[in-house]
Amino acid sequence: MINKIKELEKSSKLLDPAQDQRDEWNSQVLNYANNFINQLDTAKAFCTSEENGKDICNLDIVEKATKLSTLLESTTKNIDEVGLNPASSGHMGYIPGGGLYPSALGDYIAAVSNRYAGIFFAAPGAVRLENMLLRWMCNIMGYPKNAAGNLTSGGSIANLVAIVTAREAHNLKARDFENSVIYLSEQVHHSVQKAIRIAGLSEAHLRYIPLDNKLRLSVNELEKTIIEDKENGLKPFFINASLGTTNTGAIDPIEPIAAIAKKYKLWFHVDAAYGGFFKLVSEMKRHFKGIENADSITLDPHKTLFLPFGTGAILIKNKEALFKVHHYLADYMQDTTDANEEISPADISPELTKHFRGMRLWLPLKLFGLKPFRAALEEKLHLARYFYDEVQKIEGFDVGPEPELSVAIFRYVPKNEEANIFNEKLVKAIQKDGRIFLSSTTINGIFWIRVAVVVFRTHLEQIELLLEILKEKVEKLTT
Ligand SMILES: *Cc1c(COP(=O)(O)O)cnc(C)c1O
C-alpha cells in the first residue's frame, strides 16, 4: 500500500507547482493581460466570425497536460476576439461596467489564499472585510447600523434574496400565495419576475402599475390599486421600485412609494442594480430621498462600481428577517457557532462555501480611493446628456425622455420607411461595424436604440465616435 501511495503522490504533487513553474505561468498570464489591455484601444466592442469561438472545443479535457501558451493563444482567438467585449470603451449596450484591473488582482489573491469567507469562525478577517464593505454600502443608502447585507454573484440573486426574505418576513405560506399581491411596473427588470417565480410566488397577483410620461411608476395609480385590492379581500405584500430602470434609466419616485408601503404595510424593495452607486454623485442625491425607508435594496458593483462580472449586493434593513430565512445549523458545522462578533455570510445568504468576493471590491476601492469613482460616475451622467443633446442635432433623430441617469434612448425617423424596421436595420449596422456596441429595446410598440454609458473607459472620444458612426450608417441606409 505504501508503494502505491508514494506512486500516486508523485503524480498528485503535480497539482502543487514549484515557484519556477509558477513564475513562468505568472509571466505568461501577465503578458496575456498586458496585451489584452493594450489592444483595447483598437479592438472592436463587438465582433462575430464564421467560427465564433468553435475551436475552443478542440481543447476538451484529456489525460495529458497542455502547455499554457496553447491555452492562452486559444483564449485570445476563440474567447476574447468574438462576441461582445465588455471591457471595451465602446461597449454601450445593456448595462455594462468594464472590469477594473485591481479586481483581477483581488480575485488572484482570493484564489491563492482560498479563504473560507462564508463563516466568521473560519475566516474572521475575510468576513470582517466583506461586512465592512456592506456597512459602507448601507451607510451610502442611509441604512441604520444594524442593517445587514450580502455580496452576491449579481443583481439577480440579490433580488431573489430580497423577495424570499420578504415572503418569510410576511409569514406567507403556500395557502396565502393566491391572495397575495405584488406591485411592479412594466419597466421592472425581468430578474424580479424571475425571482418571484423561483420563490414559488407565481400564483400571487402581479399588478403592473401604469407609468407616467417619463416611464416612472405612477404613485396615484399604485395607491388606487392597493386600496382596490384590499377591498377585494386580497393581501398587498410587496412593491418593487426601480432606481434606474434598465431600459431608460427612469427613476421611480422613491419617497412617495416608501410612504405608501409604510401606510399599507408592504415590503418595499428598491432595485438599484443599475442606479444605486450614482448616489456617490452629490447632484444625484435628491433622486434617492426616501431610499432609507426601503426594506431592501439591490446594488450591483459589477455595473456602476465597474467591477468585472460576479459581484452584486443585497442590503436588508431588518437583519433578523434575513437571518431567519437563511440560517441553518448542521452537526458537522457545530464548532463554528460560538459567539461571533460578525454575522457570517453563510447565515444570511443561500450560499455556504462562497467566493471571497470582498477582495475584488475592496482592492480597487482602496487603491484608487473614492474620488475617481465619483468622477467617473458623474462623467458618465454628463456623457449621456451630451449624447442626448447632440443626437437631436442630427437631422431625423428622435429621442425618448431626457436621461435621469446614464442611459438614453433614441431612434431615427425615416421619411419613406417604417421607423421600427429602419431602426432594427440601423442597430444591426452599428453592431456589424463593431467599433461601438449598442443594444435596442421596444417600449409601447416603438423600437428604440439604447446608449448606456457606464464602462469606466468610455469618455468623450467614444461618444463623438458614436455620433459619427450614426451619421455614417444613416447615410448608407437612406441612399
Ligand atoms: C442588471 C440588472 C439586474 C440584474 O443584475 P445581474 O447582475 O445582471 O444579475 C437587476 N435589476 C436591474 C435594474 C438591472 O439593471
Side-chain angles (χ1 to χ4, degrees):
M1 182 147 83
I2 296 290
N3 284 344
K4 179 74 182 166
I5 289 172
K6 290 208 160 146
E7 190 191 319
L8 288 168
E9 183 180 299
K10 236 167 68 193
S11 193
S12 78
K13 273 191 162 166
L14 289 169
L15 295 177
D16 198 7
Q19 189 177 340
D20 57 346
Q21 175 70 84
R22 296 199 306 272
D23 284 345
E24 192 200 314
W25 283 345
N26 286 350
S27 95
Q28 284 185 52
V29 170
L30 199 62
N31 205 24
Y32 156 85
N34 282 332
N35 285 340
F36 179 86
I37 292 169
N38 293 338
Q39 55 75 53
L40 275 174
D41 272 353
T42 49
K44 290 197 165 183
F46 185 73
C47 193
T48 52
S49 70
E50 278 280 290
E51 290 186 329
N52 239 348
K54 228 185 258 158
D55 285 352
I56 199 72
C57 301
N58 297 339
L59 291 170
D60 202 357
I61 310 309
V62 291
E63 289 298 323
K64 251 180 70 194
T66 310
K67 283 202 319 236
L68 179 60
S69 56
T70 309
L71 305 179
L72 291 175
E73 269 164 40
S74 184
T75 299
T76 300
K77 176 168 170 280
N78 298 303
I79 298 177
D80 299 343
E81 289 176 1
V82 290
L84 180 59
N85 184 352
S88 166
S89 60
H91 178 19
M92 302 181 209
Y94 315 110
I95 305 281
L100 294 171
Y101 183 71
S103 287
L105 302 179
D107 276 347
Y108 178 74
I109 292 170
V112 167
S113 69
N114 199 26
R115 292 283 94 187
Y116 198 83
I119 296 205
F120 183 82
F121 168 81
V127 171
R128 280 185 211 278
L129 175 81
E130 293 204 344
N131 286 352
M132 175 174 74
L133 290 163
L134 288 154
R135 278 193 289 269
W136 170 68
M137 291 181 209
C138 284
N139 196 30
I140 295 175
M141 296 301 148
Y143 261 20
K145 277 218 161 51
N146 62 344
N150 183 248
L151 294 178
T152 63
S153 56
S156 300
I157 300 301
N159 283 335
L160 177 63
V161 169
I163 196 137
V164 170
T165 305
R167 184 193 68 201
E168 294 300 298
H170 280 236
N171 204 19
L172 293 189
K173 304 290 177 221
R175 62 175 176 271
D176 306 315
F177 292 175
E178 61 177 32
N179 279 324
S180 300
V181 195
I182 296 171
Y183 302 84
L184 320 152
S185 98
E186 288 285 352
Q187 294 296 313
V188 68
H189 191 272
H190 73 277
S191 62
V192 174
Q193 291 144 310
K194 192 166 153 184
I196 289 167
R197 196 201 294 149
I198 299 172
L201 288 161
S202 297
E203 291 158 289
H205 301 266
L206 297 195
R207 297 272 185 261
Y208 289 94
I209 304 302
L211 302 165
D212 66 16
N213 59 354
K214 285 182 154 183
L215 302 171
R216 297 173 306 195
L217 192 152
S218 156
V219 179
N220 288 341
E221 295 287 341
L222 171 66
E223 185 161 23
K224 240 169 53 194
T225 315
I226 292 175
I227 293 171
E228 238 171 66
D229 285 335
K230 282 178 83 91
E231 281 170 5
N232 290 327
L234 297 176
K235 204 175 163 210
F237 147 61
F238 184 96
I239 162 130
N240 178 85
S242 306
L243 205 159
T245 62
T246 308
N247 252 347
T248 67
I251 299 176
D252 289 332
I254 302 298
E255 199 169 32
I257 296 175
I260 291 174
K262 188 169 175 211
K263 185 167 166 192
Y264 298 97
K265 301 192 172 64
L266 275 73
W267 183 282
F268 178 31
H269 176 62
V270 177
D271 180 358
Y274 160 47
F277 288 107
F278 282 106
K279 192 154 190 259
L280 292 169
V281 179
S282 26
E283 68 159 301
M284 298 307 288
K285 287 201 177 126
R286 64 198 158 90
H287 294 295
F288 289 79
K289 253 180 101 182
I291 197 166
E292 67 281 0
N293 297 322
D295 294 293
S296 49
I297 304 170
T298 286
L299 297 172
D300 226 356
H302 65 203
K303 286 177 177 164
T304 30
L305 284 182
F306 319 117
L307 255 58
F309 298 138
T311 306
I314 179 69
L315 309 179
I316 304 257
K317 193 188 260 160
N318 180 348
K319 188 195 277 182
E320 285 69 40
L322 188 60
F323 187 80
K324 188 179 138 203
V325 191
H326 296 102
H327 174 66
Y328 258 95
L329 286 175
D331 297 337
Y332 42 80
M333 303 289 289
Q334 63 192 10
D335 38 30
T336 68
T337 54
D338 296 343
N340 292 321
E341 290 163 65
E342 291 277 352
I343 199 160
S344 292
D347 284 335
I348 50 168
S349 87
E351 293 177 306
L352 174 57
T353 308
K354 70 184 274 287
H355 177 46
F356 177 22
R357 299 185 179 105
M359 190 50 83
R360 67 199 324 261
L361 177 55
W362 182 64
L363 219 59
L365 285 168
K366 291 305 287 175
L367 282 176
F368 296 134
L370 264 185
K371 198 177 167 193
F373 286 90
R374 291 189 206 272
L377 288 166
E378 191 173 352
E379 178 197 20
K380 308 314 159 203
L381 294 168
H382 289 306
L383 288 175
R385 281 169 216 163
Y386 176 76
F387 172 82
Y388 184 79
D389 292 343
E390 292 302 307
V391 75
Q392 293 177 69
K393 294 180 189 163
I394 311 174
E395 205 195 312
F397 276 97
D398 178 24
V399 290
E402 195 181 340
E404 287 185 295
L405 293 172
S406 67
V407 172
I409 55 169
F410 69 95
R411 62 186 192 135
Y412 185 79
V413 186
K415 291 203 178 76
N416 339 303
E417 213 184 321
E418 219 276 310
N420 281 6
I421 293 170
F422 183 90
N423 284 285
E424 207 174 321
K425 282 195 285 192
L426 178 56
V427 86
K428 286 222 171 86
I430 297 164
Q431 291 178 354
K432 186 151 182 262
D433 177 282
R435 284 174 291 170
I436 301 283
F437 179 82
L438 299 183
S439 58
S440 67
T441 189
T442 300
I443 302 171
N444 298 329
I446 295 178
F447 187 102
W448 293 97
I449 306 179
R450 292 173 68 260
V451 179
V453 192
V454 188
V455 172
F456 65 96
R457 293 188 174 100
T458 304
H459 304 295
L460 188 58
E461 186 187 335
Q462 284 75 35
I463 302 297
E464 302 286 16
L465 173 64
L466 170 59
L467 291 161
E468 281 313 307
I469 291 174
L470 289 177
K471 284 181 213 160
E472 188 187 307
K473 301 300 168 199
V474 162
E475 182 160 340
K476 257 203 198 131
L477 288 171
T478 50
T479 50

